[in-house]
Amino acid sequence: MSRFLQFHYLTIYPLSNPNRDDQGRPKSASYGGVPRLRISSQAIKRAARISEVMQDDLKGHLGDRTQRIGEVIRDALKADGAAEGKATEIAEKITDVFGKIDETAKKDGKIRTRQLAFISPEERDTALELARTAAAGEDLPDIKQLKKTVLRTADGAADVAMFGRMLADDPDFNREAAVQVSHALTTHRALVEDDFYTAVDDLKRPSEDAGAGFVGEAGFGSGVFYTYACVDVELLKENLGGDVMLAATAAGALAEALAVSTPSGKRNSFAHQTRASFVLAEKGDDQPRSLAGAFFKPITGEGPLEPSVTALMELATNMDKAYDLSGQAREIMDVNNGIGTIAAIKAYAKSAVTDD
């Protein structure tokens, strides 16, 4: 088993706006004194979590990030035949396990926590079981005991194990993320552009004015994005209760999901159905390192993908030599040059967990 598993992705995004800022424009950043386009790590992780790859490979081992666990419990009890008042009372008591109840939402008949809680399947099932026991007439324990009964520090929730969670009121049940994911950044200078568009009213008669029914403006951009992810293999196994095979499956699913999934912002407008053009996977016991420094000086000229690949591999090789990282092993997929496959990357990721 290797201590660390690292992934480096180069992905071409066509004209698109997958991850918007508070003004609805593509997120951006300055790097190396040059403007770049950016996609937040939060958006990347969510796209991976809900991707078909993870949903299929990790079925039954994925949690829910939600404020609505109380409503799930209440509705389940009502479906079992419990009265509305009784179902609500029990649901509210158990909801408090996952976070303080939002009193404003409660006035509208909702049972929501103030913050999103990342809940594993095992925790959800235990909460429902306790709720049904209470509905049958048994008393619930006090909140302190309830939390000890329901919450877990490790179980089979692969996404919670990878991306971690914070329970502000119960830090003993926090989980440190076993996976770190960078913001994606263009390897070259990139600016946000504007699309001025109109919509025509189909039922407007020729005798009326010739103006559009609606006018709007939307930002977009394009470029080659670099994304880096690092897996602490030992922590991943620990978060999954020592289940090596599940940890290996999770590592493989992550490797593929980060290559094929994209945030969905404005997808219907831009159809940015893209996949990574280049993937470098590495495993070893040496301290991890991002290769974002390959692009601190922006790639210039036309067709930035190939120069980006070259810059990435040159820095990786030079850094390994400078720091004597001789124990680092690699697997490469280079679509443009017909090298490697995503299946090989996935198998390599799994081997980082299972190999002795």
Side-chain angles (χ1 to χ4, degrees), residues 71 74 92 101-102 104-112:
E71 293 170 16
R74 180 192 61 194
E92 288 179 352
I101 291 179
D102 186 334
T104 301
K106 187 175 176 180
K107 294 176 183 177
D108 297 327
K110 302 171 183 176
I111 309 175
R112 309 258 173 103

Side-chain angles (χ1 to χ4, degrees), residues 154-196:
D155 58 19
D159 50 353
V160 183
M162 287 190 284
F163 303 129
R165 75 171 180 195
M166 184 184 75
L167 297 173
D169 296 324
D170 297 284
D172 288 345
F173 296 99
N174 288 349
R175 296 194 207 174
E176 184 179 353
V179 175
Q180 301 168 346
V181 179
S182 74
H183 289 236
L185 201 68
T186 53
T187 64
H188 50 87
R189 177 186 179 91
L191 298 173
V192 177
E193 300 180 68
D194 293 299
D195 175 31
F196 177 80

Side-chain angles (χ1 to χ4, degrees), residues 20-34:
R20 289 167 276 178
D21 64 16
D22 59 339
Q23 302 297 315
R25 295 166 66 78
K27 289 186 176 180
S28 60
S30 176
Y31 185 61
V34 172

Side-chain angles (χ1 to χ4, degrees), residues 19 38 41-42 48 58 76-77 84 106 123 142 151 171 175 213 215 232 234 284 286 307 311 332 334:
N19 185 209
R38 175 175 63 91
S41 60
Q42 185 78 351
L58 298 169
L77 295 182
E84 173 89 29
K106 187 175 176 180
E123 290 169 332
D142 61 33
L151 297 178
R175 296 194 207 174
V215 295
D232 184 328
E234 290 185 4
D286 293 306
I332 291 173
D334 186 341

